[in-house]
Amino acid sequence: PTETPASTNGKKQPPVILCIGMAGSGKTTFMQRINAHLHAKKTPPYVVNLDPAVGNLPFTANIDVRDTVNYKEVMKQYNLGPNGGILTSLNLFTTKFDQVLDLIAKRADSVSHILVDTPGQIEIFTWSASGSIITDTLASTYPTVIAYIIDTPRTTAPATFMSNMLYACSILYKTKLPFILVFNKTDVVSHEFAVEWMTDFEKFQEALSHDTTYMSSLMNSMSLVLDEFYSHLKVVGVSAVTGNGVEDFFAAVDEAAVEYERDY
Ligand code: GDP
Ligand code: MG
């Protein structure tokens, strides 16, 4: 029998949930929330922390980049600033990623999901060779889903919303993986406005016309690009703090994993 990349011995592989998002969007808090949710359901995940600079991790990680590299030492040794230190630490860790894969593989049969937290600064993961290697390697073995975490209260201005969506769009086209937009912090601001803008093009144009911060003609043309992008996504609103919307999120993950099995 032939073996497909996403299955071994006919056994279903657990989906990888790769949490990506702008600094402060709530990736780590969201990880803590979904980890607790899965433990409460007695379907524990496997947890990986890829942020070398996180001070206090609010969940227990099975694999923690900080056990392998000390980013402050890396900064000193290579005479780097914080971002260079984080990137170099991630690079050093990536050279040992085959060992990480072996460790995950040993547990893959007994976990429901593989949760991965990424560095605070988004571009360190999304625009580095290490980030690509880690993403591609995981995605070649496991059904991998991108959870793009958005700070909803900070994205209510149309131009900011569009910038964030264009960034998400670039990650979707780079990774070509199933993609879930996770509007976080809905305990502060509901994500309804976003859903409206994404489904009714004219509502967004209307909102944009009142926004004088950016060149509106450029923004108008770009919003057409986004219309196509939106058709490839799943959208959920959550609060990592209250746990609201977490069931919706897992429903979206299930759908995305099916998509992965079909398309990858
Ligand atoms: P990261 O840099 O993306 O990992 O973000 P963190 O998880 O460290 O969160 C950044 C800040 O946002 C922290 O102060 C969190 O307490 C806060 N935060 C995260 N999720 C939520 C949420 O759902 N609601 C609210 N009100 N605050 C949140
Ligand atoms: Mg974090």
Side-chain angles (χ1 to χ4, degrees):
T2 53
E3 205 172 75
T4 59
S7 73
T8 317
N9 305 328
K11 259 215 150 122
K12 258 214 148 87
Q13 296 279 38
V16 170
I17 300 173
L18 198 53
C19 292
I20 291 177
M22 304 283 174
S25 58
K27 296 178 287 297
T28 302
T29 314
F30 183 66
M31 284 278 296
Q32 174 187 25
R33 169 59 60 186
I34 58 177
N35 178 51
H37 177 88
L38 291 170
H39 275 283
K41 282 181 58 187
K42 309 263 182 255
T43 53
Y46 197 79
V47 181
V48 182
N49 171 45
L50 296 179
D51 186 359
V54 66
N56 191 17
L57 208 59
F59 49 82
T60 308
N62 298 90
I63 296 177
D64 191 336
V65 60
R66 296 175 306 167
D67 296 335
T68 308
V69 281
N70 178 332
Y71 105 99
K72 290 207 167 132
E73 281 305 314
V74 169
M75 274 172 71
K76 264 191 224 154
Q77 199 179 331
Y78 296 89
N79 198 19
L80 299 164
N83 281 344
I86 297 168
L87 177 61
T88 304
S89 299
L90 193 66
N91 288 342
L92 291 169
F93 182 74
T94 305
T95 62
K96 298 182 181 170
F97 206 69
D98 57 320
Q99 293 173 36
V100 174
L101 283 175
D102 287 346
L103 288 170
I104 298 175
K106 283 195 186 121
R107 294 285 310 282
D109 279 355
S110 58
V111 297
S112 65
H113 298 78
I114 298 157
L115 313 181
V116 183
D117 197 5
T118 61
Q121 302 292 334
I122 187 168
E123 60 279 5
I124 289 176
F125 190 78
T126 53
W127 298 111
S128 67
S130 296
S132 303
I133 290 166
I134 291 172
T135 306
D136 295 348
T137 318
L138 286 171
S140 67
T141 313
Y142 302 97
T144 301
V145 177
I146 308 281
Y148 185 81
I149 319 292
I150 297 160
D151 188 329
T152 311
R154 280 209 187 160
T155 193
T156 55
T160 314
F161 180 79
M162 173 170 295
S163 306
N164 209 335
M165 290 305 110
L166 287 170
Y167 205 98
C169 184
S170 69
I171 296 167
L172 172 78
Y173 291 132
K174 189 165 187 279
T175 63
K176 301 183 184 70
L177 289 168
F179 209 90
I180 306 173
L181 284 188
V182 181
F183 283 94
N184 188 28
K185 311 194 186 182
T186 54
D187 57 297
V188 182
V189 171
S190 156
H191 70 303
E192 255 170 74
F193 73 91
V195 173
E196 190 173 71
W197 286 349
M198 294 170 79
T199 45
D200 187 340
F201 182 71
E202 282 176 359
K203 288 257 167 63
F204 183 69
Q205 298 263 306
E206 162 74 19
L208 205 52
S209 71
H210 301 302
D211 192 333
T212 51
T213 9
Y214 284 74
M215 278 183 297
S216 63
S217 65
L218 176 64
M219 286 292 154
N220 271 324
S221 351
M222 294 214 281
S223 59
L224 286 166
V225 174
L226 286 177
D227 227 30
E228 162 69 13
F229 166 63
Y230 296 150
S231 66
H232 296 287
L233 311 171
K234 297 178 203 329
V235 178
V236 294
V238 305
S239 166
V241 165
T242 68
N244 210 24
V246 165
E247 296 282 356
D248 296 344
F249 171 73
F250 278 106
V253 170
D254 288 346
E255 276 177 38
V258 169
E259 225 174 80
Y260 175 97
E261 303 284 356
R262 191 191 58 216
D263 299 341
Y264 299 88

